[in-house]
């Protein structure tokens, strides 16, 4: 058996060692590999593991022996699932390894900006000390209003931390989650996104990216926010109109942003649509690492190996995700 893992910059020693221990001929490839080179690399593989690299229809067609595609992570936007289905090749992700972890990351970004940690630590590093002047005033989360755009498992974990942990009021916009489910999680359901945004001190985005949610937070939505609002996004960069967000931050129309995801990754200090946000003490630019903890990576590696072995041994592949794109598969799949 032969397998290829793309995006080797994301170190997964447990996955690599586990496959090699089973006697799998195993190759890792770099992020950003050109499509033609990837097509050549997968020509005789049984299994593709991917994280960020696009697995296009051309790549799938080039892989003559392909038996499965495993996304070692959650998002499946970079996989042409329809092309895989046409060949009866199962596609699976690992949806549950970092739900609490990513919620913790979002909360960390929020509280860091609320307490002015980037600004204050930078000033102390530069000057050795600062005094309690008005410009260093932080804000409490207790008594504030947090708005969640998306109230799935990660959003509901965020709600618990802010509501039960810090006594914040939590509002939620998510047409796919009913009011009773939200209420059980301590969230007040709101049906009007713009109205919710206008009443929030903090906004945290927790949506799946699809045709309906792309650009969900656009120029008009940003204009609805308070000038004191802080925006957090740990989901997908394209959920937000990033050019409009840069304008809003630079112009001071919102107070700050904590970002872990971007439409174009990796970031760059120059020549990138988000470059203007570097070196701003009211912005945290995190390199898509809110998932990256010891505990979450252990879960990711264990679940990924389990799915790989299912593929390589010809067993039905366990799909735990409720994403309709994965649930539409009918070949070689077992739903849980």
């Amino acid at each position: 058996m032969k397998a290829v893992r793309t995006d080797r910059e994301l170190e997964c020693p447990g996955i690599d060692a586990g496959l090699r221990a089973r006697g799998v001929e195993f190759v890792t490839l770099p992020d950003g590999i050109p499509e033609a080179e990837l097509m050549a690399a997968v020509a005789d593989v049984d299994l593709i593991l991917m994280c960020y690299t696009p697995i296009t229809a051309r790549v799938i067609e080039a892989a003559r022996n392909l038996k499965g595609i495993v996304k070692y992570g959650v998002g499946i936007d970079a996989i042409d699932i329809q092309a895989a289905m046409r060949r009866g090749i199962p596609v699976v992700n690992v949806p549950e390894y970092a739900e609490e972890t990513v919620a913790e990351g979002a909360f960390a970004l929020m509280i860091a900006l609320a307490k002015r940690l980037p600004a204050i630590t930078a000033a102390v590093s530069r000057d050795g000390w600062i005094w309690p002047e008005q410009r260093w005033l932080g804000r409490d989360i207790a008594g504030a209003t947090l708005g969640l755009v998306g109230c799935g498992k990660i959003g509901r974990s965020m709600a618990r931390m802010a509501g039960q942990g810090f006594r914040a009021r939590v509002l939620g916009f998510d047409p796919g989650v009913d009011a009773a489910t939200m209420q059980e999680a301590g969230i007040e359901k709101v049906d009007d996104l713009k109205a919710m945004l206008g009443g929030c001190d903090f906004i945290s985005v927790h949506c799946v990216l699809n045709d309906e949610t792309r650009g969900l937070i656009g120029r008009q939505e940003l204009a609805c926010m308070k000038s004191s609002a802080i925006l957090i996004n740990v989901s997908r960069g394209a959920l937000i109109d990033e050019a409009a967000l840069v304008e809003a931050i630079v112009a001071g129309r919102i107070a700050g942003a904590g970002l872990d995801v971007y439409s174009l990754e990796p970031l760059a200090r120059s020549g990138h649509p988000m470059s203007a946000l570097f070196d701003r003490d009211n912005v945290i630019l995190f390199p898509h690492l809110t998932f990256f903890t010891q505990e979450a990576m252990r879960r990711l590696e264990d679940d990924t190996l389990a799915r790989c072995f299912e593929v390589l041994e010809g067993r039905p592949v366990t799909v735990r995700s409720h994403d309709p794109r994965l649930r539409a598969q009918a070949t070689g799949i077992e739903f849980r």
Side-chain angles (χ1 to χ4, degrees):
M1 292 291 183
K2 185 173 181 179
V4 158
R5 180 169 75 82
T6 67
D7 311 292
R8 65 182 175 214
E9 291 79 4
L10 175 49
E11 296 179 356
C12 298
I15 294 174
D16 301 350
L19 287 170
R20 289 187 173 118
R22 289 287 187 102
V24 177
E25 184 181 345
F26 184 64
V27 176
T28 61
L29 301 172
D31 175 64
I33 184 172
E35 183 186 49
E37 291 182 26
L38 180 57
M39 290 169 64
V42 303
D44 59 347
V45 304
D46 301 279
L47 173 66
I48 295 175
L49 296 89
M50 61 77 66
C51 191
Y52 307 121
T53 296
I55 306 300
T56 64
R58 281 162 51 86
V59 170
I60 292 168
E61 290 305 315
R64 299 183 300 271
N65 300 332
L66 190 60
K67 297 176 177 64
I69 301 169
V70 177
K71 162 64 186 270
Y72 56 103
V74 181
I76 53 173
D77 307 302
I79 304 171
D80 192 326
I81 296 172
Q82 290 298 318
M85 289 173 61
R86 285 194 293 271
R87 286 189 53 194
I89 295 168
V91 178
V92 66
N93 65 350
V94 182
E96 299 171 344
Y97 77 100
E99 292 164 345
E100 292 281 346
T101 304
V102 172
E104 287 183 11
F107 195 87
L109 292 173
M110 182 175 75
I111 197 168
L113 289 166
K115 303 304 181 185
R116 304 294 313 280
L117 297 189
I120 291 171
T121 55
V124 172
S125 295
R126 182 183 65 244
D127 301 329
W129 192 253
I130 62 170
W131 296 100
E133 303 168 17
Q134 289 291 307
R135 58 179 168 153
W136 307 122
L137 273 174
R139 293 160 58 190
D140 289 343
I141 292 174
T145 299
L146 166 65
L148 300 174
V149 184
C151 298
K153 291 182 179 179
I154 297 174
R156 294 198 292 270
S157 292
M158 182 74 164
R160 189 190 69 248
M161 295 173 196
Q164 296 179 29
F166 281 75
R167 295 190 300 104
R169 180 189 183 197
V170 183
L171 308 179
F173 172 83
D174 191 329
V177 179
D178 60 62
T181 301
M182 286 197 194
Q183 184 176 19
E184 195 173 302
I187 305 167
E188 301 173 40
K189 184 174 175 65
V190 178
D191 294 321
D192 186 327
L193 175 59
K194 291 178 181 177
M196 184 187 81
L197 296 175
C200 292
D201 303 293
F202 305 96
I203 298 105
S204 193
V205 181
H206 300 282
C207 297
V208 172
L209 178 63
N210 54 38
D211 290 341
E212 287 73 40
T213 60
R214 188 177 301 274
L216 182 63
I217 305 297
R219 197 174 303 275
Q220 293 182 7
E221 287 73 22
L222 289 163
C224 293
M225 296 179 190
K226 298 178 181 179
S227 61
S228 57
I230 290 172
L231 176 64
I232 307 297
N233 186 14
V234 297
S235 296
R236 290 291 179 268
L239 294 167
I240 297 176
D241 181 337
E242 292 173 323
L245 175 61
V246 170
E247 289 177 17
I249 292 286
V250 171
R253 291 196 291 272
I254 65 173
L259 307 174
D260 184 46
V261 288
Y262 314 90
S263 294
L264 178 61
E265 296 181 4
L267 287 176
R269 293 186 65 85
S270 62
H272 188 282
M274 309 292 277
S275 295
L277 297 186
F278 277 91
D279 300 321
R280 291 182 175 273
D281 64 17
N282 62 339
V283 176
I284 298 176
L285 300 175
F286 214 61
H288 204 151
L289 287 181
T290 52
F291 73 92
F292 198 59
T293 67
Q294 296 175 15
E295 297 81 2
M297 289 305 292
R298 270 197 300 273
R299 292 190 291 269
L300 175 65
E301 291 185 328
D302 290 348
D303 283 359
T304 297
L305 282 174
R307 304 292 79 75
C308 289
F309 296 150
E310 288 171 348
V311 171
L312 295 173
E313 294 168 8
R315 293 184 281 132
V317 180
T318 303
V319 172
R320 291 194 173 91
S321 172
H322 292 278
D323 190 303
R325 293 170 293 180
L326 294 179
R327 291 270 160 175
Q329 299 179 97
T331 305
I333 294 293
E334 181 176 271
F335 297 114
R336 293 281 178 88

